[in-house]
Amino acid sequence: MRKLVLFMHVSLDGYASDLNGGLDWIPYNEELEKYAEEIVAEVGAPVYGRTTYRMMEGYWPTMLDNPDASVHEMEHARWLQDVQKIVISGTMDKSEWDNTILIKENIAEQIKELKEQPGKNLVIFGSPGAAKTLLELGLIDEFLLTICPVVLGSGKSVFEGSEKVKLKLLSSRTFKSGIIATRYELEK
């Protein structure tokens, strides 16, 4: 059975973005890029909320024909083009991007069905709204959090207002930028 894994960059005070959805506070560099590539290698299907999905859909397909795209951008764009993508949205009527499953209702049942299929894990990339919904439904099995050395003071949080969730630390590592990459599983 596949797991549903949340992969998210968070500030030290637990925010996944600033109030405007901005992510410019993440110290993204080659070391974090390599770590993200390790995570992508575990992904059977990326899971997005509407906002993150639209952002990805608007950017990555353009890299396929971009002569200035880096090797990493081209590889990631090809992977995203081919991989099955899942978008959770109550407001979208259809998706234009190839290989996309749109989940509008019965989220718990549909995610459980996808988890029962063979293959690599389902991984939520960012998407704080969708992640919060999936957390509230008790569907997230693991949490891959990159804790960034910044305090935002406010923003969008997956965990704010949530019930207590007990986690067991599986691994952690520290990057030169001060980021701490953690992997937790839901404590049963």
Side-chain angles (χ1 to χ4, degrees):
M1 185 163 143
R2 302 194 286 184
K3 294 178 182 177
L4 180 61
V5 179
L6 172 61
F7 177 47
M8 182 171 285
H9 304 298
V10 295
S11 64
L12 192 59
D13 52 347
Y15 293 103
S17 72
D18 64 25
L19 286 174
N20 298 316
L23 302 172
D24 61 345
W25 48 271
I26 299 169
Y28 202 82
N29 59 21
E30 188 176 317
E31 190 176 32
L32 186 56
E33 183 179 294
K34 286 185 189 305
Y35 176 70
E37 288 173 3
E38 291 173 24
I39 302 307
V40 167
E42 300 177 18
V43 178
V47 179
Y48 305 110
R50 177 188 47 81
T51 302
T52 304
Y53 175 80
R54 290 288 189 215
M55 181 179 67
M56 302 293 277
E57 176 188 45
Y59 179 76
W60 286 107
T62 68
M63 290 294 104
L64 294 170
D65 299 321
N66 184 340
D68 297 323
S70 69
V71 171
H72 167 73
E73 288 170 323
M74 286 297 294
E75 289 173 355
H76 194 69
R78 281 190 206 105
W79 176 76
L80 277 170
Q81 191 66 25
D82 295 337
V83 74
Q84 181 182 64
K85 295 162 282 296
I86 301 162
V87 61
I88 297 171
S89 173
T91 59
M92 284 177 56
D93 291 320
K94 62 179 183 171
S95 58
E96 301 293 331
W97 204 0
D98 292 343
N99 303 320
T100 299
I101 296 172
L102 173 60
I103 299 177
K104 291 179 61 88
E105 48 196 37
N106 301 320
I107 295 168
E109 293 82 10
Q110 290 192 56
I111 292 294
K112 286 177 184 173
E113 286 176 16
L114 289 166
K115 286 170 72 171
E116 289 173 4
Q117 294 176 2
K120 295 179 180 179
N121 291 332
L122 310 173
V123 179
I124 309 159
F125 286 91
S127 306
K132 188 174 187 90
T133 298
L134 294 164
L135 178 64
E136 289 170 354
L137 292 170
L139 296 170
I140 300 176
D141 303 297
E142 285 189 9
F143 298 78
L144 299 176
L145 304 175
T146 55
I147 303 165
C148 299
V150 63
V151 174
L152 293 177
S154 64
K156 296 179 183 176
S157 171
V158 172
F159 306 109
E160 192 171 320
S162 295
E163 301 270 330
K164 180 171 30 174
V165 178
K166 292 186 121 191
L167 303 174
K168 177 183 174 188
L169 181 66
L170 299 177
S171 66
S172 67
R173 71 191 216 213
T174 305
F175 298 152
K176 291 176 188 166
S177 63
I179 287 177
I180 302 170
T182 61
R183 180 183 292 260
Y184 295 94
E185 71 179 358
L186 196 60
E187 201 169 90
K188 309 265 181 192

